[in-house]
Amino acid sequence: MDRNQRVPLVLDLDGTLVRTDMLAESGLYRLKKSPLRFLLALASLVKGKSHLKSSLADGFEFSTNLLPFRPEVLTLMNQALAEGREVVLATASDKAIAEKLAADLGGFALVFASSKNINLSG
């Protein structure tokens, strides 16, 4: 077995797997759907960015197949899977968003993402 076959492929979500930022997408969704809930979400920022992300992700409805995926990254992902390598999604986006995308897209062995109390950034 080639050494590279054992090394997992770790992908970021925002700006890497997709060309957009899911925090911005969830914020725009919330602003359009319910401006009051958007303001309440902004107020949660006093508790930290992870609270903001969680608040905006709560009830965020998106269609994975409408996201602007980067084809070259999807190609790398498919190559890694074909080689038997694990593919991991590691993102600062909220866990609910990351897990939905991972389930819809398929192929991810693990998902690491922000939660209400932990901002998985940097």
Side-chain angles (χ1 to χ4, degrees):
M1 178 185 291
D2 185 305
R3 181 176 172 264
N4 286 337
Q5 288 179 306
R6 293 178 293 208
V7 176
L9 175 64
V10 181
L11 297 175
D12 180 31
L13 176 56
D14 303 310
T16 302
L17 184 57
V18 295
R19 287 188 167 99
T20 190
D21 182 282
M22 297 307 287
L23 178 59
E25 294 291 335
S26 61
L28 290 171
Y29 172 87
R30 181 61 57 220
L31 181 60
K32 181 180 176 185
K33 199 82 164 158
S34 173
L36 179 58
R37 280 192 65 193
F38 175 78
L39 292 174
L40 291 172
L42 282 181
S44 72
L45 188 55
V46 299
K47 296 179 183 174
K49 194 169 182 180
S50 61
H51 283 268
L52 172 66
K53 290 177 182 182
S54 179
S55 183
L56 289 173
D58 183 33
F60 175 43
E61 298 173 16
F62 68 95
S63 179
T64 302
N65 63 348
L66 295 178
L67 290 175
F69 286 98
R70 293 183 57 206
E72 65 275 20
V73 178
L74 289 175
T75 298
L76 286 173
M77 179 180 169
N78 289 329
Q79 286 173 344
L81 292 169
E83 294 168 359
R85 294 169 58 197
E86 286 189 334
V87 178
V88 176
L89 181 61
T91 179
S93 286
D94 186 76
K95 183 178 180 177
I97 293 170
E99 287 181 345
K100 178 187 179 344
L101 181 134
D104 289 353
L105 199 57
F108 291 98
L110 294 167
V111 176
F112 296 102
S114 294
S115 67
K116 189 172 189 172
N117 296 312
I118 297 172
N119 185 24
L120 195 65
S121 178

